[in-house]
Amino acid sequence: LLWRIAGRFIFFFPGKEVIIANAVIAILTIGGQQLFSFFTFSCPCHVGQNLIYGLAFLGVPALILLIVGYALNNQTWRLVMGKRPHFERVTSSNKLLKYKLVCFVLCSITGRALVAPVTWLAVTLINGSYYSCAMSEYVPVYYYEAAPNVTASERSRILATFPCSQLVPPELTRARDEVILLLRYQSQVAGWLLIAVVVITVFLSYCLAGCFSPLSFLHFRYWSSYVHNEQELFDEATEQHSRLYAMQHVRKFFGFVPGSENVKEIRIPSLREWQAISGLAFLKRVDEEHYDYSLLHDWALKERASGNTCLQMLLLMAF
């Protein structure tokens, strides 16, 4: 049953358009990282500061990109704001299925959100500058015979200056070059290992999703196309429906709508009506099924209700 649910929601896995979008995000992240490094990164070359500075440049932008990735994904807000109908009967089996579905969708959202931060980490590790700055004072230099007759604290101070070539004494230039090469080697190996792990994980995810899907290849392509077209048509209908609904309220307030031809009569709103639609608009619940979306919407519904009340009173008087 779990894998049937996975198959039913396989469309959350990236299609061609999503792959292209992920590629664009990765390219933009690479470009942003290069510009960021060029204009802002400058290792302090001081004991105790290098590690914090280097790790901050490695981790903080990646964390920000992860949060932005979650925030820009519509599925995140659908998951957060999705509400269960009050008339739906809750059973233990329904709860279990719901939790499984949430897990699958959350994994999909996380996979999309990780594109930019993983790209950032991989590029920065392959570049090697951040890692070299962060780890320079922790490199054992006994192999390089650098500053053999100094204390441990003085050795750490000297090592911390290695990312800044202008601060290194001439007699330690060779040791400094070898240390920087070692750190760049470690950083680049870590970067390529990260890329390999991500690529293998994504590939296995695709394979597992395809193997356990209840749909054939062509059926899945049709389903993906249907979901895409349905969303596009729904968005178009939402835009048109909301525009037509708003036009009714604007017409009721002014007596016409923009773009109308042969406007013969306009309506002059009263001071009370201007005051009614001015101010801050809050989403107001009218009843169990409906909301007021704006102050103008609220005013139009009240005017309609008062008009219906007056009409009913006139009909009663007539009879």
Side-chain angles (χ1 to χ4, degrees):
L1 182 59
L2 177 63
W3 291 115
R4 290 189 65 184
I5 296 175
R8 290 190 63 187
F9 291 91
I10 193 174
F11 62 86
F12 285 110
F13 286 90
K16 290 183 178 179
E17 294 182 356
V18 177
I19 293 175
I20 294 174
N22 290 341
V24 172
I25 292 173
I27 293 173
L28 291 176
T29 304
I30 293 172
Q33 191 276 336
Q34 295 297 322
L35 292 175
F36 195 73
S37 300
F38 181 78
F39 288 106
T40 63
F41 184 77
S42 179
C43 187
C45 298
H46 192 276
V47 177
Q49 297 180 3
N50 288 9
L51 180 63
I52 298 174
Y53 191 81
L55 293 182
F57 270 74
L58 269 172
V60 174
L63 179 61
I64 294 174
L65 290 173
L66 178 64
I67 296 173
V68 171
Y70 276 114
L72 295 182
N73 195 323
N74 289 333
Q75 296 297 336
T76 302
W77 304 113
R78 178 170 294 185
L79 186 64
V80 171
M81 302 176 66
K83 296 184 181 295
R84 179 181 57 84
H86 65 277
F87 53 81
E88 181 180 332
R89 188 167 59 91
V90 180
T91 63
S92 58
S93 59
N94 286 341
K95 281 187 177 181
L96 182 60
L97 292 176
K98 179 182 177 180
Y99 293 148
K100 291 177 179 179
L101 171 59
V102 169
C103 290
F104 280 113
V105 177
L106 187 60
C107 289
S108 174
I109 295 171
T110 302
R112 295 283 304 277
L114 283 173
V115 173
V118 168
T119 303
W120 175 275
L121 290 175
V123 172
T124 52
L125 287 173
I126 291 176
N127 179 273
S129 299
Y130 299 172
Y131 182 87
S132 299
C133 176
M135 303 303 297
S136 60
E137 59 185 284
Y138 301 100
V139 175
V141 293
Y142 304 106
Y143 301 104
Y144 311 107
E145 299 181 356
N149 300 321
V150 297
T151 62
S153 59
E154 180 65 17
R155 183 180 291 109
S156 296
R157 187 193 66 79
I158 295 174
L159 288 173
T161 63
F162 276 16
C164 304
S165 57
Q166 68 275 12
L167 300 179
V168 180
E171 63 272 13
L172 297 179
T173 300
R174 181 173 177 274
R176 182 257 177 193
D177 294 339
E178 292 180 351
V179 168
I180 294 300
L181 286 176
L182 173 65
L183 292 174
R184 287 186 179 275
Y185 156 76
Q186 294 175 350
S187 180
Q188 291 177 355
V189 168
W192 284 113
L193 286 176
L194 176 62
I195 293 175
V197 169
V198 171
V199 170
I200 293 173
T201 302
V202 172
F203 176 73
L204 292 179
S205 299
Y206 274 113
C207 292
L208 290 174
C211 290
F212 292 101
S213 171
L215 304 180
S216 63
F217 176 72
L218 294 179
H219 195 179
F220 170 70
R221 289 182 59 185
Y222 173 82
W223 191 353
S224 300
S225 178
Y226 169 82
V227 171
H228 174 72
N229 292 327
E230 180 188 77
Q231 187 62 48
E232 280 193 346
L233 293 172
F234 185 83
D235 291 340
E236 293 176 6
T238 300
E239 174 68 23
Q240 186 174 357
H241 184 281
S242 59
R243 183 176 180 82
L244 293 174
Y245 194 38
M247 286 173 62
Q248 294 180 9
H249 304 148
V250 173
R251 182 185 289 112
K252 191 172 187 64
F253 192 78
F254 289 111
F256 75 101
V257 292
S260 301
E261 297 180 358
N262 300 323
V263 178
K264 298 180 180 179
E265 184 178 355
I266 63 174
R267 182 178 180 277
I268 306 300
S270 66
L271 178 62
R272 181 185 62 82
E273 291 170 337
W274 280 113
Q275 292 175 346
I277 69 168
S278 301
L280 297 177
F282 297 97
L283 192 64
K284 178 182 176 182
R285 187 166 186 171
V286 181
D287 52 40
E288 293 184 356
E289 299 294 337
H290 300 93
Y291 286 88
D292 283 346
Y293 301 122
S294 67
L295 295 178
L296 179 61
H297 184 200
D298 182 58
W299 172 86
L301 293 182
K302 289 179 179 178
E303 287 293 313
R304 183 185 304 171
S306 62
N308 292 338
T309 303
C310 293
L311 180 61
Q312 291 175 3
M313 292 179 63
L314 292 174
L315 291 176
L316 289 174
M317 292 174 63
F319 285 103

